[in-house]
Each structure stands twice: as C-alpha cells, then as structure tokens.
Amino acid sequence: MGDIKVLEAVERYIRGEMNPDERLHFENLRKSNGEIDQLVVEHTLFLQQMNRFGEWKKFRSSLQEVHTDLTEQGKINSARLTGKAKVVYLWKRYKRVAAIAASIAGITTLTISALVWTITPKTATDELQQLKGKINSIEHTTKEQGKEINNVKNKISHTDNTITYTTGGTGFIIDTKGYLVTNYHVVEGAKNIAVQNSRGEYTARLVFADSEKDIAILKIEDESFKPYNSIPYAISRSEGKLAEPIFTLGYPRNEVVYGQGYLSSKTGYKGDTLSCQLELTANQGNSGSPILNKKGEVIGILNGRQKNAEGFSFAIQGKHIYKVLEELKKDTTYQRIKLNSRSSIAGLDFQQQVEKVEDYVYMVKVN
Amino acid sequence: MKQEINERELLQGLAVNDKKAVESIYKENYNMVQSLIINNNGSADDAKDIFQEAMIVLYEKVRSGSFELNCLIKTYLYSVCKRLWLKRLQHMSRYAPPIEDPESTVSVDDELEEHEKRDAEFEMMNKAISSLGEPCKSLLEAYYLQKQNMQVIAASFGYTNSDNAKNQKYKCLMRLKKIFFAHYKNENGNG
C-alpha cells in the first residue's frame, strides 16, 4: 500500500465514508500498526483545523458580502463618507490634535511676548520720545530744505538759459569723449561750468580737481556735444627744453588769442619744480591754456603770471596731467580716459598747427 | 420573551452561517459600532474591520455550542468592539481616550483571548496555504475547503484522470502538513 493509498484510506475513515467491512478491516489495521494509528490522530487534527479554517474563511467572505449588500441597500450608512459627513468625520478625528496644536501655539506666543517684554530695556519710552523729537526736527529741516530748493529753483528758472558767467579761463581737450583740462583756480567754487569755442557752447561738469597741482578735469556733458574723432596734439611726458619755442591759445576775452614765446626756465615761481617759466605774454583768462611746442606736444598748462611783472608767465608741466589722470582713474568710471601721446601736427608751422588746435581749446565760463 | 426567542434563532442561524441571520445581526448592530469607532478616532474602514472581527468572535462562540449569551447580541457585540478598538488604538499608539459608554457592556476578555489564539492559527494557515503557490493552493482549497469531488477537481484542473490529481494533491498536502505541524508543535509545546 502506497502512502497515497494509506492517506486516502485514513481520510475516508475519518470522514466515515467506509462501508462497515472496510471500517472493521481498517480499525484492525490501526490497532496492529502504530504508525497508521498515529497518522489517523494527526490527520484528524489537521482535517479539523482545515474545516474550521474553511468555515472561518467562508464566514469572513459572507460577512464581506453582507456588508456590501447592506451598504448598497442603504440599510447601514457605511457608504463612503462624502461632503459634510467627511468634514464632520475629519473634524472629529483631528479636533484633539487641532486643539493641542492651537494651545501649544498660544502658549508659545504668550511665552515669547512675555520674554520680549521682560528683555526689552525699560528706557524704551524715553527713546520713543527722543525719536519723536528727532522726527520733529527732521520735519523742520525738511521744510527748510524745501524752501532752499524752491529758492534755488527760482534762481535757476530766473536765469534759465542765460546763466551769467562771472569768471572764466581756458581749457583744452585731452580725450575725444569731451574731457578737458584747465586750472583748478579757474573752476574753484564753481556752481555752473560751461565751455565755448567756435564749435559751440556746452555745459560741463567738474570731475576731478587737484588744488595742489592747480589742475582740474572737466567733462562736457551736453547732448549737443559730438565726440572728437582724434586729438591733433600730444601730451608730453617730458619737461620742455630751455629756449624751446612755444605757443599758446587762450581766451583772455571772448575771442581766441594766440600767444608765442619760449621756455625760459624749467622751474616756476620761486623755484617751484611743479611748473616752468615761459617768456610769454598772458592775460587773465589765459589760465588753463595749453602750451605747445613745435612738435605739437602740450608741455604745460598756463596757470599764472607774476604780479607787477609783464611778459613772462608760469605753466604747470604737462607730465602732471598724467599724474592727475592716474588719480582720476582710480575711480572706475574714468578708466577709459586716454591721453594722446603721439602728435599728428609735428612738423607743421605754428600757423598751421594753430588751425588744427583751435577747435580743441575752449573758453571755460564759470559762475 | 419574543425577543429572546428571536435572538436565539439568530444565533442558531449564525452558527450555520445562514445568510439571513448574518444579515439581520449585521443590519441591527453595524451603525452603532460605526459611530463608536468614528467618535473615537477611527474611520469607516476601521469600523468595518472591527465589527466583522466581533462578528467572527460571536460566530466562534455560537459554533462552540453556546447559545447562551447572558446578554443581548447588541450588548455583546458592542463590548467586543470596544475592547478590540481600544486594543487597536493602543497598538497604533494613537491617543486612546476613555470611551464613554452609551451602551452597557459585558466582560468579554476570555472570549477575546480565545479568539486571538484562533485568529492567529487561521492566519497562519492562510499564510501556509498561500505560500504553497499554485496549483497546490487551488487544489487543496477545492478539495478541503470547498469539498469538491476528486473527479470534478481533476476535470476542472485539466488532469487526465483523477489518479494524477490525487497524486498532485497528495504532494501538496504533505507540504502543507509539514508547515502546519511545525507551527502547531511550536505553539503547543510538545504538541
């Protein structure tokens, strides 16, 4: 008898499917064979468990079925919670959490405000009053400023396009974009600066001033100004040579005036090494005029003359323009200023040179 | 008096998994349990799980031959559900509030202990059968749970004759019994 047959017999025996003869035979076998007996006991237990398991499963699935049926018939209200019911459910479910969160938030807020209140210095009210006072004074000054501004506006609107320039000097272009050099004393304390020559009149702004070297850099800031293509003269880095013939163009009056002379000393007034002495007739208004040599190089800026002495003048050496420019270039806005170091008018005679240079020399008008 | 008879009939019906009886008990009691669960941090799904488990507890009780509840079905189910739900809440470590009782309760601790043990056994069996894979699972379920005839099984599973089916069933049964008895001995000491 194979194992399968034995087990089949055991199952049939347990289920009571054997006929009486078979049963008797099997019971005898069971008595004589311990193994079979053991198998019967074991299998009985297993089948019982299986049966109960089967019923349990069936009952579970019938419960599931009943649940679905009753829900569909609306006899129990377990249909998925929707709308208001859902809100109510969620509220019920989370109200405790919400309440706890809210009280924690409330306590935290109160604690923090209490802390802030205790930590805040007691002088707070005084400071507030001070602040108030300050605000009052600020208001006052603002009013004053308003008045001032109005005054200025009035003045400006009075003069408008006809600014009366009281003093003046000369300046010359050092960069094609409209940068000019003049003497610091020409533009010292200036409110408005304008430059003028045969090309036209432009407003200008002081961009740099060196009172020690008496050099000022101006920039033409006027919509009608058109940048130059090039500059005919060069700015010399070296000091001029004694007896070197020089000429100048300037505006001692409303017309450009030519002057001619020579370099008479490498030092200026009272041995000032910053400047040089020129044998050149200069008048007021010549301040800031370029001093050019035969090669078309600017060797200096005319800046003065000795009182009670006619016929000679002093000029700041041209190399100082470079020094001033270096200072200026520290401001990144002005890094693109470039001085012309190669003259294009070398070899021409003074008359021809003057023609070329004339357009680059401006009367500087100041009020 | 009439109610008592009615209750007894319901329980007898429940013992044989009579659909009408089950439906009747379900209908009468489900809503009460659902509001208990929902009012105490649960969802409708939780309510369904808990109620069905309570029904199983009741089913097992009446299956063991005891139709004497000493209380109404309603009270019994409510008590069981409450115990089960408190236990579930603790297990989920969700805040378990003390449940105020609109209904009176009876002590069901013994039944629940019994139920838990049985439930564990059934779950084990369920897992064991599933772990056999096909065709064993279907084959054994068809023979032992649905109690189908071997000839029918052979035909529906595509075996050429019932001996092949028996052969296959035998192999599957041996595997299942091995798992079952290994577990059974573990659970019951020396068995």
Side-chain angles (χ1 to χ4, degrees):
Chain A
M1 228 202 274
D3 285 344
I4 301 179
K5 285 257 162 62
V6 174
L7 197 76
E8 207 191 335
V10 169
E11 276 185 357
R12 284 180 63 221
Y13 172 73
I14 293 167
R15 286 176 181 175
E17 287 170 3
M18 287 179 164
N19 59 46
D21 282 352
E22 257 184 318
R23 194 174 181 85
L24 198 68
H25 175 71
F26 189 81
E27 272 170 1
N28 283 335
L29 189 69
R30 197 180 155 188
K31 270 174 202 157
S32 61
N33 191 332
E35 250 176 75
I36 301 254
D37 185 50
Q38 173 73 23
L39 191 64
V40 169
V41 173
E42 202 182 89
H43 206 68
T44 307
L45 178 69
F46 175 77
L47 283 184
Q48 261 178 13
Q49 195 66 23
M50 277 302 269
N51 276 336
R52 286 173 63 189
F53 172 68
E55 277 157 9
W56 176 75
K57 248 186 118 154
K58 221 190 261 170
F59 186 67
R60 268 171 60 128
S61 67
S62 70
L63 279 178
Q64 206 56 259
E65 213 174 292
V66 166
H67 187 91
T68 318
D69 285 355
L70 289 177
T71 306
E72 269 170 21
Q73 291 162 18
K75 283 181 180 157
I76 56 171
N77 42 18
S78 105
R80 224 188 288 131
L81 294 163
T82 48
K84 210 178 161 195
K86 177 103 182 166
V87 174
V88 170
Y89 160 65
L90 285 175
W91 167 242
K92 276 183 177 162
R93 180 162 182 176
Y94 292 111
K95 66 181 171 188
R96 232 173 276 272
V97 179
I100 290 167
S103 24
I104 288 173
I107 289 165
T108 313
T109 313
L110 284 175
T111 316
I112 288 173
S113 37
L115 269 176
V116 168
W117 185 75
T118 31
I119 288 170
T120 313
K122 300 296 178 210
T123 55
T125 43
D126 295 347
E127 273 176 14
L128 270 179
Q129 276 171 349
Q130 279 172 0
L131 274 179
K132 202 175 168 190
K134 273 182 190 162
I135 287 167
N136 281 339
S137 69
I138 287 170
E139 196 180 23
H140 182 71
T141 39
T142 311
K143 270 184 194 163
E144 291 293 306
Q145 279 169 348
K147 278 182 196 165
E148 292 278 323
I149 288 168
N150 280 339
N151 284 344
V152 171
K153 268 189 188 163
N154 285 341
K155 274 184 196 165
I156 289 172
S157 57
H158 268 296
T159 49
D160 207 20
N161 284 328
T162 57
I163 301 168
T164 44
Y165 294 99
T166 47
T167 57
T170 306
F172 59 98
I173 294 287
I174 55 164
D175 182 280
T176 52
K177 290 180 286 295
Y179 289 91
L180 296 103
V181 163
T182 186
N183 286 132
Y184 171 68
H185 72 256
V186 171
V187 292
E188 188 181 359
K191 281 180 194 156
N192 296 295
I193 301 170
V195 297
Q196 183 190 348
N197 70 359
S198 54
R199 285 180 99 214
E201 183 179 334
Y202 310 109
T203 54
R205 183 172 61 89
L206 180 70
V207 296
F208 190 80
D210 187 330
S211 57
E212 216 171 275
K213 295 191 177 74
D214 196 21
I215 292 176
I217 312 273
L218 308 180
K219 181 164 195 308
I220 294 172
E221 285 186 339
D222 202 309
E223 284 173 12
S224 57
F225 174 75
K226 289 191 183 81
Y228 292 94
N229 293 325
S230 63
I231 296 171
Y233 45 83
I235 313 291
S236 174
R237 283 178 187 276
S238 54
E239 52 188 5
K241 292 179 178 115
L242 274 181
E244 186 178 24
I246 46 105
F247 78 93
T248 184
L249 279 175
Y251 286 87
R253 52 194 184 91
N254 275 343
E255 204 62 44
V256 70
V257 172
Y258 173 79
Q260 192 178 337
Y262 54 85
L263 186 74
S264 53
S265 171
K266 282 184 181 177
T267 58
Y269 179 61
K270 286 182 175 173
D272 177 14
T273 52
L274 205 65
S275 53
C276 54
Q277 190 186 323
L278 307 168
E279 191 63 28
L280 183 75
T281 307
N283 293 299
Q284 285 188 344
N286 262 124
S287 280
S289 300
I291 310 295
L292 292 102
N293 63 12
K294 259 170 74 179
K295 286 189 260 179
E297 293 171 338
V298 175
I299 61 161
I301 308 159
L302 200 96
N303 79 326
R305 64 174 188 186
Q306 199 173 343
K307 274 183 185 174
N308 311 321
E310 288 290 326
F312 62 91
S313 328
F314 299 103
I316 303 148
Q317 291 169 13
K319 62 182 178 187
H320 293 294
I321 299 174
Y322 283 97
K323 287 183 180 169
V324 167
L325 222 57
E326 270 167 34
E327 289 289 309
L328 178 61
K329 280 183 179 176
K330 284 175 185 167
D331 184 343
T332 51
T333 324
Y334 302 112
Q335 272 177 351
R336 294 178 65 193
I337 299 179
K338 212 180 161 217
L339 295 185
N340 188 17
S341 56
R342 289 197 65 178
S343 167
S344 58
I345 51 172
L348 299 178
D349 60 35
F350 280 166
Q351 194 190 332
Q352 289 164 320
Q353 284 180 348
V354 165
E355 275 176 27
K356 303 275 183 195
V357 171
E358 200 184 333
D359 273 354
Y360 297 83
V361 179
Y362 284 84
M363 175 168 25
V364 177
K365 301 194 292 185
V366 173
N367 82 339
Chain B
M1 194 64 193
K2 193 170 182 235
Q3 195 184 25
E4 227 169 84
I5 295 166
N6 199 10
E7 292 246 314
R8 203 179 164 82
E9 276 172 7
L10 281 178
L11 291 176
Q12 279 166 344
L14 179 67
V16 293
N17 194 5
D18 173 58
K19 201 176 175 196
K20 263 191 184 160
V22 175
E23 233 178 59
S24 173
I25 298 172
Y26 213 108
K27 198 168 66 190
E28 288 300 311
N29 299 285
Y30 180 76
N31 287 346
M32 166 192 75
V33 171
Q34 183 172 259
S35 46
L36 165 78
I37 303 294
I38 285 181
N39 284 332
N40 289 283
N41 261 346
S43 69
D45 280 344
D46 291 332
K48 185 181 135 194
D49 282 358
I50 294 293
F51 182 73
Q52 292 195 356
E53 204 174 338
M55 284 292 279
I56 290 172
V57 173
L58 183 62
Y59 171 74
E60 281 162 357
K61 188 176 171 64
V62 292
R63 289 262 313 154
S64 68
S66 155
F67 301 116
E68 304 301 323
L69 277 183
N70 301 324
C71 66
L72 292 177
I73 295 177
K74 188 178 174 185
T75 311
Y76 186 81
L77 282 176
Y78 182 86
S79 309
V80 173
C81 285
K82 188 185 146 187
R83 290 287 309 159
L84 288 172
W85 182 236
L86 280 175
K87 211 161 189 181
R88 175 93 59 107
L89 282 177
Q90 274 168 8
H91 185 69
M92 292 187 297
S93 54
R94 221 187 257 171
Y95 175 68
I99 295 177
E100 302 110 36
D101 284 317
E103 314 281 336
S104 55
T105 55
V106 289
S107 171
V108 286
D109 291 354
D110 294 347
E111 278 111 316
L112 283 185
E113 209 174 298
E114 186 76 7
H115 161 74
E116 261 171 41
K117 205 177 134 195
R118 243 188 324 246
D119 210 46
E121 278 171 21
F122 290 147
E123 285 301 340
M124 185 275 295
M125 187 71 99
N126 211 4
K127 243 192 243 165
I129 292 180
S130 296
S131 74
L132 294 176
E134 297 294 350
C136 281
K137 184 172 180 281
S138 302
L139 207 53
L140 291 178
E141 276 177 0
Y143 187 77
Y144 288 104
L145 304 186
Q146 284 136 42
K147 309 248 162 49
Q148 283 178 22
N149 189 297
M150 218 50 210
Q151 269 90 36
V152 177
I153 292 174
S156 64
F157 281 79
Y159 292 102
T160 45
N161 57 53
S162 65
D163 275 347
N164 284 348
K166 273 181 194 165
N167 231 325
Q168 182 63 51
K169 189 215 82 179
Y170 177 76
K171 285 180 192 161
C172 294
L173 180 65
M174 285 302 121
R175 284 173 62 198
L176 180 61
K177 275 180 84 172
K178 208 175 157 189
I179 302 174
F180 172 75
F181 280 106
H183 191 85
Y184 186 80
K185 274 169 189 149
N186 274 346
E187 285 296 297
N188 298 283
N190 292 323

